[in-house]
Amino acid sequence: MLEDNSFGIIILLLGTAFLPMIAVTVTAFAKIAVVIFIVRNALGIQQLPPNIILYGLALILSAYVAMPVMNESFTRLESVGFQYETLDEWQNAGKIAMEPLKAFLQKHTDPKQLEFFSNSTVTIWGEGLAAQTTDDSLAVLVPSFLLSELTRAFEIGFLLYLPFMAIDIIITTILVALGMMMVPPTTISIPFKLMLFVFLDGWTKLVHGLILTYA
């Protein structure tokens, strides 16, 4: 049985090797991770929570957002009933499984980014290869989606950074007015920022807001 489906095992192993790259580039991971790390930097606590916890949170939330896409892909593949013993079956299965993913990427991609990468194929790839490429090609969708996600992540991060920056400025101004210029502003501002973040239930609101951007 194992020998009969050796080709399928090889494909599965290759797919597993590229799984980390797939998780980062075609899911919500990039935006969620960037926003979370910006918030941590804005709080001024550079090492807390640890990187592994934040990456784990971003990965779990990305899987949560991607669950409907994965479920639809699995349902479509299950309805076809491939045996996965030939290259043609794997190619057809890949095309079927990619349809929900392409719909997800198109929904959350900035049309301007998609237009740029689509139009640039003639310049970068040449007319021959560009003629075979459409707007729903993964080669065009993936960079457009990833760039769109990074842009939105920094927009969100900027807005979240402003209140914490205001606290830093206020604390610094008060210390200067009191003549306490030798006292590091972060010594006082960090507790205030943490108090504000905890009082507003910051992690919950941050996670809920990021999830709802994919509604």
Side-chain angles (χ1 to χ4, degrees):
M1 180 70 178
L2 186 63
E3 294 178 355
D4 293 340
N5 204 17
S6 58
F7 181 78
I9 295 175
I10 294 174
I11 295 295
L12 183 62
L13 290 175
L14 289 175
T16 305
F18 285 99
L19 189 60
M21 182 181 293
I22 295 173
V24 171
T25 55
V26 298
T27 67
F29 181 86
K31 183 169 77 174
I32 293 174
V34 169
V35 172
I36 289 176
F37 276 91
I38 289 178
V39 170
R40 189 183 71 171
N41 290 337
L43 286 169
I45 45 177
Q46 301 299 324
Q47 301 300 326
L48 293 173
N51 290 344
I52 189 171
I53 293 179
L54 296 185
Y55 282 126
L57 176 62
L59 187 61
I60 291 171
L61 295 179
S62 301
Y64 179 83
V65 172
M67 191 60 65
V69 178
M70 293 188 293
N71 182 66
E72 185 176 352
S73 295
F74 178 78
T75 302
R76 293 190 181 192
L77 290 175
E78 194 176 37
S79 63
V80 176
F82 288 125
Q83 297 298 318
Y84 304 103
E85 295 178 352
T86 64
L87 179 59
D88 288 338
E89 282 188 323
W90 279 99
Q91 289 177 336
N92 292 331
K95 291 178 181 179
I96 294 174
M98 287 299 106
E99 291 176 2
L101 176 61
K102 288 181 179 180
F104 173 81
L105 296 178
Q106 285 179 321
K107 179 180 178 181
H108 299 287
T109 296
D110 185 352
K112 293 181 180 178
Q113 302 295 350
L114 185 60
E115 181 182 2
F116 169 79
F117 281 101
S118 180
N119 294 337
S120 297
T121 55
V122 177
T123 305
I124 305 300
W125 298 351
E127 295 183 359
L129 186 57
Q132 305 173 15
T133 306
T134 59
D135 288 345
D136 63 346
S137 276
L138 287 178
V140 173
L141 276 175
V142 172
S144 303
F145 170 78
L146 188 56
L147 187 56
S148 301
E149 289 287 277
L150 288 175
T151 302
R152 294 191 192 101
F154 276 88
E155 291 173 350
I156 296 171
F158 170 75
L159 295 176
L160 293 175
Y161 210 108
L162 289 179
F164 300 110
M165 185 175 65
I167 293 176
D168 287 331
I169 294 174
I170 292 171
I171 295 297
T172 302
T173 303
I174 292 174
L175 290 176
V176 171
L178 294 175
M180 303 172 63
M181 291 175 289
M182 299 302 293
V183 179
T186 55
T187 303
I188 299 176
S189 65
I190 288 178
F192 273 97
K193 288 189 286 187
L194 288 176
M195 181 182 67
L196 175 65
F197 198 68
V198 172
F199 178 75
L200 295 176
D201 198 10
W203 285 117
T204 299
K205 285 184 170 56
L206 176 63
V207 169
H208 289 181
L210 288 172
I211 293 296
L212 291 177
T213 59
Y214 295 94

